[in-house]
Amino acid sequence: MDVCDEDKSNDDVQELSFGGKFLNLFSELERCGEIVQKQKIEEMNEIIDGMNKVEWKSVFKTELFDEIHTMVKEKKMSMENAILLLKHAGYCKALKNVWNPCFDSSSLNKRFEKMIVKEEKKEKEEKKEKLIIDLCECYISLSYDFPHESLSICMPCLLKVALNKEENKETQKEAEIALLALASLGFNV
């Protein structure tokens, strides 16, 4: 019996180390240039892979999403780097089946909603397809409460990505992320 308890406490220490490592790297992001920042985010994404549900929820709180929003707003992080982190976080959230509505109350959620609607209203020539796809994937995979306008833009966008049958690895991964985001709608609506 004591052996099991020891193993459990070692698991708890391991869990805490994932969150600590992630938050330490996150705290360094605003002092880095874009290239180094991207490398740190890739490290953070690897750490996210190792997190369980409890660890994921302990890290991805409203305050973290608000801090990402502030960093993007103050140009301390590019939107591209924020999306790199958030897309992977949402993907892992869906894979791990984590219930965590913290994103919904964040300022980043509101920013994404506005950006999705604004991008969709642009003329076809001006639209940034990759940006709207990335925003929709992040938004849907991290949210639980969807305004009709955002949902009516994201659903067709994600379905289009999911139906893309190109054979390259990156496109396959994008289709998988889009399908996971769509699958999470059933639990969230």
Side-chain angles (χ1 to χ4, degrees):
M1 186 76 166
D2 289 338
V3 173
C4 291
D5 290 340
E6 276 184 78
D7 288 342
K8 186 175 181 187
S9 65
N10 288 339
D11 288 345
D12 291 342
V13 170
Q14 181 64 34
E15 288 174 23
L16 293 174
S17 68
F18 283 124
K21 287 178 188 176
F22 180 91
L23 293 172
N24 283 340
L25 285 169
F26 183 80
S27 69
E28 297 171 5
L29 289 179
E30 67 181 292
R31 295 183 301 271
C32 300
E34 189 161 346
I35 293 170
V36 173
Q37 195 176 74
K38 186 174 183 175
Q39 292 168 343
K40 287 189 183 289
I41 289 170
E42 288 170 356
E43 280 182 64
M44 292 164 68
N45 285 345
E46 288 177 20
I47 293 168
I48 294 170
D49 289 337
M51 291 180 180
N52 65 25
K53 290 180 182 185
V54 173
E55 186 69 7
W56 197 98
K57 288 168 71 170
S58 73
V59 169
F60 288 94
K61 296 181 176 184
T62 303
E63 296 81 14
L64 182 83
F65 294 121
D66 286 340
E67 181 63 26
I68 293 170
H69 175 257
T70 300
M71 290 171 70
V72 169
K73 187 177 174 182
E74 295 175 354
K75 301 197 184 312
K76 293 179 180 178
M77 178 188 285
S78 67
M79 182 56 75
E80 181 181 308
N81 281 346
I83 286 171
L84 180 65
L85 176 62
L86 295 167
K87 189 188 285 193
H88 192 76
Y91 174 77
C92 287
K93 176 184 164 270
L95 282 179
K96 296 170 194 296
N97 196 25
V98 176
W99 170 257
N100 182 7
C102 291
F103 181 74
D104 290 337
S105 59
S106 72
S107 53
L108 188 61
N109 176 301
K110 305 301 178 234
R111 181 185 188 116
F112 276 21
E113 285 176 5
K114 288 176 185 173
M115 289 178 71
I116 289 167
V117 170
K118 182 180 176 185
E119 196 62 36
E120 179 61 26
K121 288 182 179 179
K122 289 182 179 178
E123 296 296 321
K124 186 172 178 123
E125 307 82 46
E126 295 176 13
K127 277 186 190 178
K128 298 175 185 165
E129 285 294 320
K130 175 80 171 120
L131 176 62
I132 198 166
I133 289 167
D134 287 341
L135 290 170
C136 287
E137 287 173 346
C138 291
Y139 178 72
I140 295 295
S141 64
L142 292 169
S143 293
Y144 287 94
D145 185 25
F146 310 102
H148 177 73
E149 188 173 19
S150 299
L151 194 56
S152 67
I153 295 167
C154 290
M155 289 271 304
C157 178
L158 294 175
L159 283 170
K160 182 180 173 183
V161 173
L163 293 172
N164 189 346
K165 296 187 180 188
E166 283 188 38
E167 297 283 329
N168 73 46
K169 191 174 180 177
E170 186 176 318
T171 305
Q172 295 268 330
K173 182 74 171 181
E174 285 296 321
E176 184 180 336
I177 291 170
L179 284 169
L180 267 172
L182 286 168
S184 69
L185 280 174
F187 300 110
N188 302 339
V189 177

